[in-house]
Amino acid sequence: MIMKKQIIGIVCVAAMMSSCHIYKSYDRPETIDASGIYRDPVSPTDTLAATDTTNMGNLPWQEVFRDAKLQALIEEGLANNVDMQAAALRVKEAKVMLTAAKLSYLPSINLAPQGTATSMDGGSYVKAYTLPVAASWELDFFGKILNTKRGQKVAYLQSQYSEQAVRSQIICGIANMYYSLLMLDRQVEITSQTVDIYKENVRTMEAMKIAGMTTEAAVAQMRAAYSQVQASLLDLQRQVRETENSLCVLLAKAPQPIDRNTLDEQVMPEDLTVGVPLQLLENRPDVKIAEMTLASAYYTTNQARAAFYPGLNITGTAGWTNGSGISVANPAEFMFQALASLAQPIFNNGKLVANLKVSKAEEEIARMNYQQTILEAGQEVSDALHLYDTQNEKLGHDRNQVDQLDKAVTYTKALFQSGDATYLEILTAQQNLLSAQLTEVSDNFQRMQAVINLYSALGGGRQ
């Protein structure tokens, strides 16, 4: 009869623990939704029909960034960047902590030798010693150690995803700075050519004034335009140096010139596939980090629930001693002691209840943050798609504008030769051409940046 009651009691306790999810592992909540988070940049319905599982974010970064000199810089950055090295060390730290959590299932064993020397009324010393080995073992009937171990495993995974996030940021950051340098190089080249043209214009205008063909005001205006272009060139050269310095810091080396190719030599992927939205949950490190934060909060809540149940500890001591506490024996005798203790919380000033409520609230906050991170990831993909589509279209207009303005400069010079245009009209045409050329270079870079942004938004470079 007693055995039957014990079995019934065990079954009841097991059912109660199951209802409280103490032993249940984390599962992604069904309320988390990733559907419809991409916007189509060209569809009239504004919905991206992403059914193809081909995902640009799964491409190796070498297939996205094909410039050999850029690839060498990325390799250098991955090897030397301080943030990358720190992230790798944090992974090792988390792995050590996970191993320690797994060892919590085993009993702890300690050697605790003791010795005493006692003298009464100046008599001879009586020496007693004890050489015990003490062991303590907590039986995890209610999931306290289990949930701690699972929480530590989540922390380990989180550190790995953090390392992936840093890796992706370094790859895309280096690529972005490299292409910025190429853009600035091209703008410096265009502006330098314009400086030479304006210098010749000043010389021509001064000769025309001497010949009485123009006024001092026109010469002054030409000189002012020449000075403006020279100042723009100096500003661009400063930006080149600062960008080189920033890239060197990212590579963990002293500021120095960066060996690079030209903007016109770059080949970027044309087929920008984004896959299905659900892949963001598996690919993006920041989304995975947010999910691991939720999983950690889930196991913390389980630990708070487990705190309501009793803790069972078994301790034992075995060894040799020559002192029984009353008399001293020689030689020493073997001793053994075992103790089992059960601690069931009954009243703890409301701390256990408060801790459970706080844990549940933190878990709900983590769930909301996880959903928000998914929405932000979808926004980044949508923005990158629209940026690429927009810049691709703008680049066509830019090239047409440059072509027409180049013709305008040629036509204006011909009109000037025939006396149907002034030299200031030539200057205006040249200024418009310069502005259009710089805009074309900038828009070309923006299109490259859209590719980088999309690759990063899809979790590219994580491996």
Side-chain angles (χ1 to χ4, degrees), residues 175-203:
N176 189 57
M177 286 189 181
Y178 183 82
Y179 292 135
S180 296
L181 278 174
L182 302 190
M183 174 194 69
L184 291 169
D185 287 344
R186 180 62 181 138
Q187 290 182 334
V188 166
E189 181 184 355
I190 293 171
T191 307
S192 296
Q193 294 172 355
T194 305
V195 166
D196 293 337
I197 294 173
Y198 276 37
K199 182 179 180 180
E200 180 61 22
N201 287 348
V202 170
R203 189 193 66 78

Side-chain angles (χ1 to χ4, degrees), residues 125-145:
Y125 285 95
V126 178
K127 299 177 182 179
Y129 65 88
T130 304
L131 295 174
V133 175
S136 177
W137 185 23
E138 181 179 358
L139 301 181
D140 191 36
F141 286 150
F142 302 101
K144 295 178 182 178
I145 298 177

Side-chain angles (χ1 to χ4, degrees), residues 40 42-47:
D40 195 315
V42 295
S43 172
T45 62
D46 205 32
T47 301

